[in-house]
């Protein structure tokens, strides 16, 4: 069966931007599900790298795949069950029959959206969701990452909810459950946000939820840079399935999407017209990003003993080839730029560690298109939004298929 990613799945992934979190607490800002999922998966990537150091290539690749797909399954499940409070959900999970019934209903709701991904995807998702216990390293990494990301949100609203009788119990629950997972390498360091490089970096990543995209254009919903990175990562995974990417390429595409806007921690969201005003302007911005990325992120990670994390991040961001949107492979210890055609023809092999830069750009454009399209559909009339849709459609008008994805036909479904 051929796999084709449909508009309905892309829109479903985006709905996490509407889904409010901590909806019964006073909040300093709206906290939404897609931001939390992005922070969770960034932390899951860190823990995956650290805990796979001693593994052979096959085990490491299997663990990475389990972490990515498990995270996507959890997110899709969460989008359907929406705002069930955690204590209620945990009670449901304790009763296997109740949990089975709930999960069967969730799968029936998701089936029309995920069926184009093929029966194997649904079978893997069913097997994952029907086993609620947190067994295996991948599940425990995801559980620790989920708790860390949720606890980070809790600390944002703790100070303004001092009169809430639930706060003490909620915080202790986070600490107890994270403590039970402290045997996973890196978890204790994550919790020490002041004293460890890993903790500081994880907290820094979470700050991208404060940074809104399209900052001068009113939109409903608003999306953050953090949430946008997760949406692009999810799209990259699904399109990787569609184009028949090898396992290493699929994981690289997901994690590249997950970090592709990380330099905006250092520059904020500079809009495309400014970046493209002149070649000199683009070069100046790029040079500044690289210097600050090295100073604030990569060097501290290397100095703190996380050379592997810094190295993978540099590869995902395309530092060796000049852009995250350029495709690349690693051959004989050297990073080489390749085209999408070369990647599909003779570089789609795990041993070459391939990464789809052009596919990443397609996913980035699709995410921006859906952001603008959704805002217009929700009644926000704006020249900037209309112009964004026009520019993206024109970009692919004369090049309707990019990196194996029929992007022009997909955009036409939104008309």
């Amino acid at each position: 069966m051929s796999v084709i990613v449909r508009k309905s799945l892309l829109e479903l992934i985006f709905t996490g931007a509407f889904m409010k979190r901590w909806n019964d607490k006073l909040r300093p800002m709206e906290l939404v599900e897609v931001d939390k999922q992005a922070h969770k998966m960034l932390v899951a990537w860190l823990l995956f790298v650290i805990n796979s150091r001693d593994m052979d290539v096959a085990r490491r690749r299997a663990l990475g795949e389990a972490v990515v797909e498990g995270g996507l399954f959890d997110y899709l499940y969460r989008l359907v069950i929406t705002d069930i409070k955690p204590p209620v959900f945990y009670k449901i999970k304790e009763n296997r029959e109740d949990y089975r019934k709930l999960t069967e209903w969730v799968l029936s709701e998701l089936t029309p959206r995920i069926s184009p991904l093929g029966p194997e995807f649904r079978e893997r998702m069913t097997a994952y969701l029907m086993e609620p216990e947190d067994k295996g390293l991948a599940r425990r990494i995801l559980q620790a990452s989920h708790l860390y990301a949720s606890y980070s949100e809790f600390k944002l609203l703790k100070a303004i909810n001092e009169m809430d009788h639930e706060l003490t119990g909620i915080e202790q629950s986070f600490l107890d459950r994270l403590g039970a997972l402290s045997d996973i390498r890196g978890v204790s360091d994550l919790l020490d946000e002041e004293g460890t490089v890993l903790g500081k970096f994880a907290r820094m990543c979470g700050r991208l939820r404060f940074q809104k995209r399209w900052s001068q254009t009113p939109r409903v919903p608003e999306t953050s840079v953090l949430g946008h990175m997760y949406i692009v990562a999810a799209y990259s995974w699904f399109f990787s399935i569609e184009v028949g990417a090898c396992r290493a390429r699929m994981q690289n595409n997901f994690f590249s999407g997950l970090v592709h806007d990380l330099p905006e921690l250092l520059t904020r969201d500079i809009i495309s017209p400014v970046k493209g005003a002149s070649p000199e302007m683009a070069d100046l911005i790029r040079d500044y990003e690289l210097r600050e990325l090295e100073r604030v992120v990569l060097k501290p990670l290397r100095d703190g003993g996380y050379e592997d994390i810094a190295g993978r991040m540099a590869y995902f961001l395309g530092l060796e080839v000049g852009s995250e949107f350029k495709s690349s492979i690693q051959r004989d210890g050297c990073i080489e730029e390749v085209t999408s055609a070369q990647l599909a023809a003779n570089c789609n092999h795990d041993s070459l560690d391939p990464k789809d830069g052009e596919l990443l750009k397609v996913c980035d454009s699709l995410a921006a298109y859906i952001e603008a399209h959704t805002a217009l559909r929700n009644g926000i009339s704006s020249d900037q939004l209309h112009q964004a849709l026009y520019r993206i459609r024109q970009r692919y008008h004369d090049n309707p298929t990019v990196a194996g994805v029929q992007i022009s036909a997909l955009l036409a479904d939104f008309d």
Side-chain angles (χ1 to χ4, degrees), residues 2-253:
S2 62
V3 173
I4 301 177
V5 177
R6 304 287 188 186
K7 168 191 173 186
S8 60
L9 178 60
L10 301 179
E11 289 186 318
L12 176 65
I13 297 300
F14 184 74
T15 58
F18 290 97
M19 189 173 164
K20 305 293 190 294
R21 291 179 53 77
W22 302 94
N23 209 25
D24 59 341
K25 306 297 180 192
L26 180 62
R27 302 179 297 286
M29 58 177 288
E30 287 294 0
L31 300 171
V32 295
E33 186 66 26
V34 74
D35 292 352
K36 182 264 175 143
Q37 292 293 330
H39 201 193
K40 167 187 170 179
M41 292 309 292
L42 280 163
V43 171
W45 172 62
L46 298 175
L47 295 179
F48 156 61
V49 173
I50 294 168
N51 286 274
S52 63
R53 284 172 173 168
D54 302 329
M55 295 181 180
D56 58 40
V57 174
R59 288 179 62 211
R60 185 184 305 120
R61 194 165 291 134
L63 178 61
E65 188 173 85
V67 167
V68 173
E69 278 211 326
L72 287 168
F73 296 154
D74 287 337
Y75 178 55
L76 291 170
Y77 193 98
R78 184 67 183 167
L79 289 177
V80 177
I81 65 171
T82 63
D83 206 22
I84 297 178
K85 287 189 68 154
V88 177
F89 182 61
Y90 297 145
K91 284 292 183 184
I92 293 173
K93 289 183 77 172
E94 288 173 5
N95 185 306
R96 291 191 64 86
E97 183 61 21
D98 288 343
Y99 179 78
R100 183 188 62 79
K101 289 178 180 178
L102 176 63
T103 301
E104 286 177 349
W105 174 76
V106 169
L107 288 166
S108 70
E109 292 290 304
L110 288 172
T111 293
R113 309 285 189 104
I114 65 174
S115 58
L117 296 174
E120 295 85 359
F121 183 87
R122 190 186 189 282
E123 288 167 8
R124 292 195 303 273
M125 185 170 181
T126 301
Y128 178 89
L129 294 177
M130 285 299 184
E131 182 55 67
E133 287 82 7
D134 298 320
K135 296 191 299 186
L137 181 56
R139 281 182 177 269
R140 298 185 78 236
I141 284 174
L142 288 168
Q143 178 67 0
S145 305
H146 153 72
L147 291 169
Y148 173 84
S150 296
Y151 188 39
S152 296
E153 291 178 325
F154 172 82
K155 288 185 283 188
L156 290 175
L157 52 83
K158 177 181 175 181
I160 57 175
N161 286 273
E162 291 181 347
M163 302 301 292
D164 192 319
H165 69 282
E166 292 183 324
L167 284 197
T168 302
I170 291 173
E171 181 162 30
Q172 193 59 50
S173 175
F174 279 130
L175 294 173
D176 290 346
R177 287 181 291 158
L178 281 165
L181 295 164
S182 61
D183 59 303
I184 300 173
R185 280 180 287 180
V187 169
S188 297
D189 291 335
L190 284 170
L191 292 173
D192 186 1
E193 295 183 334
E194 295 297 330
T196 68
V197 171
L198 199 69
K200 290 177 181 177
F201 177 65
R203 183 178 63 180
M204 187 189 304
C205 291
R207 280 172 29 207
L208 281 169
R209 66 163 42 87
F210 306 140
Q211 194 167 310
K212 300 302 179 184
R213 285 169 52 79
W214 312 68
S215 59
Q216 297 181 352
T217 304
R219 288 176 304 120
V220 175
E222 289 189 327
T223 47
S224 72
V225 172
L226 185 62
H228 168 76
M229 294 195 303
Y230 180 78
I231 291 168
V232 172
Y235 290 178
S236 296
W237 183 261
F238 294 130
F239 282 117
S240 295
I241 296 175
E242 178 177 318
V243 301
C246 66
R247 296 173 75 186
R249 183 175 160 199
M250 289 179 66
Q251 290 179 42
N252 289 342
N253 290 347

Side-chain angles (χ1 to χ4, degrees), residues 338-354:
V338 295
T339 66
S340 286
Q342 290 173 313
L343 205 57
N346 50 32
C347 296
N348 189 32
H349 304 291
D350 289 342
S351 60
L352 293 175
D353 198 28

Side-chain angles (χ1 to χ4, degrees), residues 210 292 359:
F210 306 140
E292 288 300 285
L359 180 65

